[in-house]
Amino acid sequence: MSTDATTAGPVRRRGGPSKGDQREAAIVDATRRLLATKSVNELTVDAIAKAAGVSRTAFYFYFPTKQAVVADLLDGLWDRFGDSYGWLDTTGADRAALREHHRLVAEVWREHASILSCTTGPSLDYQPLLEWADRARARFVDGLAAKVLRDRAEGVAPGGVDAPALAQMVFDLRDARMRVVASADEAEVEQLLADLTEGVLRLLYGVVG
C-alpha cells in the first residue's frame, strides 16, 4: 500500500556537517596549525593525522598527500587576494589605491605566511601547488599589463619596457617584499609598504609626486 504525504513520517534532514565533513575540516585545520612551526617538507601525514584526531587511513580517504591539504588551504586565500586588486581597474598612478592594495596583500601574508611559503622551493614539485602559484602570478601580471597598456594609451604612463615584462618585474618586487613584511615587526610594516608603493610607482610611472 502506498503512503501519502499526510501519513508519511517526518523526513530526516541533515542538521549540520557530517562526520566526514568534520574529519576533513579537522585535517585542514591541523595542517594549518602545524605549518605555523614546520615547513611542509618537515610535516608528515602521521603528524597531521594525529593532530587532527584521525587515523592515517582516514587521512588518505580525504587527501592523497599532505601537499593536497596545502593546496586546499591556498584555495581558501584565492578570493582574499582577488579582493585586493581594485587598483588594477584604476587609471593612472592612484597612489592611494596602490597603497591599499599593498595593505590588503600584506594582511594575507602576515596571517598566512606559513601557507604561502609552500608555493616556493621544493614544495613546487607538487603540481597543484605549482598550478596555484602560476595562476596567482598570471592573474596579477595579466591585470597589471592591461592597466599599463590602458595608461599608456591615455598618456599617463611612459612607454618603454614591454608591458607584460614590466608587470612581471612588479610582481617579483611585490612578492619578495611581502615575504619581508610577513615577518617584520608591526612598527616596521608601514614604512616597508610605503617604500614598496613608491618603488612600484617609479617603475611604472617614473618620478611621481
Side-chain angles (χ1 to χ4, degrees):
M1 183 175 76
S2 63
T3 304
D4 62 29
T6 61
T7 59
V11 176
R12 294 192 61 174
R13 298 185 182 277
R14 189 167 149 185
S18 68
K19 286 186 177 180
D21 292 336
Q22 292 171 350
R23 291 192 191 101
E24 183 174 354
I27 292 168
V28 172
D29 186 59
T31 304
R32 180 189 292 109
R33 296 196 314 270
L34 291 170
L35 282 172
T37 57
K38 297 178 181 292
S39 72
V40 67
N41 292 325
E42 294 172 323
L43 280 185
T44 65
V45 168
D46 285 338
I48 295 171
K50 181 178 179 181
V54 302
S55 67
R56 181 183 177 90
T57 300
F59 175 95
Y60 283 118
F61 180 81
Y62 297 102
F63 295 98
T65 64
K66 61 184 180 181
Q67 289 93 339
V69 190
V70 178
D72 188 87
L73 288 167
L74 285 168
D75 284 342
L77 302 180
W78 185 259
D79 288 342
R80 288 281 302 276
F81 282 115
D83 290 343
S84 77
Y85 287 167
W87 173 68
L88 297 178
D89 295 325
T90 65
T91 299
D94 201 335
R95 181 185 294 271
L98 176 58
R99 179 65 180 77
E100 177 66 3
H101 163 66
H102 288 153
R103 183 188 70 79
L104 292 172
V105 174
E107 283 185 356
V108 182
W109 267 96
R110 287 178 69 78
E111 292 173 21
H112 303 288
S114 60
I115 299 170
L116 291 165
S117 66
C118 297
T119 61
T120 60
S123 303
L124 281 183
D125 62 358
Y126 185 70
Q127 192 64 25
L129 299 188
L130 179 60
E131 290 173 357
W132 191 95
D134 286 345
R135 284 192 298 121
R137 182 184 303 106
R139 178 165 63 163
F140 180 81
V141 170
D142 291 349
L144 180 53
K147 173 176 170 55
V148 169
L149 291 173
R150 290 196 310 270
D151 287 348
R152 287 177 176 176
E154 292 286 334
V156 295
V161 179
D162 179 67
L166 185 60
Q168 181 66 57
M169 291 179 200
V170 172
F171 177 85
D172 291 343
L173 173 63
R174 190 200 70 173
D175 193 61
R177 200 61 166 174
M178 286 300 166
R179 294 176 190 281
V180 176
V181 169
S183 58
D185 292 336
E186 191 67 38
E188 301 176 298
V189 171
E190 287 300 317
Q191 189 60 54
L192 288 169
L193 295 181
D195 291 346
L196 174 60
T197 299
E198 183 67 25
V200 170
L201 291 176
R202 288 177 180 270
L203 270 174
L204 297 177
Y205 300 98
V207 178
V208 178

